[in-house]
Amino acid sequence: FFLRGVTIGVVGASSLYVARACGVPQNFLIATRGVGLTLGPALLGNSIGRAVWSGNSQLFGAAALAAMSFCEVAIPKIVSGALIFPTFLVFGVAIAMLDTFGDVVLTTVHRERCTTPLNIANAFYGLGGMVAPYLVVLAPEHTWHVLALAHGTLAVLLASKRVLRGKPADWKAKV
């Protein structure tokens, strides 16, 4: 959740630079990501539920993290308005997948006692959002690449764990 907060903060803190580099209005760029944030759960909500209930949550999370990582590699390199909009749309969908997925897993695992874990997760999300502008100021040319490396590494670790160990044997007990 901390890393997702950093991601959202980096988008906000660097979106003017990205918009200027691509020659597009900043508000259109952020709105495109917002469309992805809205469409993601609407279009993929059933898939998220199936991933959790079938024990495939690790692969689902790895796919969303990989999509985010690819977008984060591309965003600082794109100088075309025609390419930046689809990238921000996919980026928004990937963020929405992880947000929805995280909430589904937390509420499914903790059930009636989900209030404290959700509050803790949201606190880490907020801390990440507070740290992000400082990261952008300290290393503006590297911030997107650091995010891509972090999300890509998490994707590889999750997918590797699933491939090497198979479906968790006790996934039904956890749900």
Side-chain angles (χ1 to χ4, degrees), residues 10-173:
V10 166
V11 170
S14 66
S15 62
L16 182 59
Y17 167 78
V18 173
R20 286 183 177 164
C22 296
V24 298
Q26 180 184 17
N27 58 330
F28 288 2
L29 197 60
I30 298 302
T32 302
R33 185 193 55 139
V35 169
L37 288 169
T38 304
L39 289 178
L43 298 176
L44 300 171
N46 288 336
S47 297
I48 293 168
R50 279 196 300 273
V52 171
W53 292 108
S54 67
N56 291 311
S57 56
Q58 292 172 335
L59 290 178
F60 185 88
L65 287 165
M68 282 183 67
S69 182
F70 285 123
C71 290
E72 290 161 348
V73 166
I75 287 170
K77 295 178 186 206
I78 295 175
V79 293
S80 162
L83 294 177
I84 197 68
F85 288 120
T87 305
F88 260 74
L89 180 71
V90 170
F91 190 59
V93 169
I95 290 170
M97 288 170 51
L98 287 172
D99 285 347
T100 305
F101 178 69
D103 289 345
V104 167
V105 169
L106 274 174
T107 56
T108 302
V109 170
H110 294 285
R111 300 199 188 271
E112 301 86 31
R113 295 176 305 240
C114 69
T115 305
T116 301
L118 281 171
N119 285 333
I120 291 169
N122 287 324
F124 277 103
Y125 186 86
L127 285 172
M130 290 173 18
V131 168
Y134 297 105
L135 296 176
V136 172
V137 169
L138 288 173
E141 63 280 351
H142 301 295
T143 308
W144 284 99
H145 298 114
V146 169
L147 286 175
L149 180 64
H151 287 126
T153 301
L154 285 173
V156 168
L157 290 173
L158 268 177
S160 296
K161 181 179 177 184
R162 177 63 157 76
V163 169
L164 293 174
R165 295 184 181 172
K167 186 186 289 190
D170 61 345
W171 69 269
K172 285 185 180 180

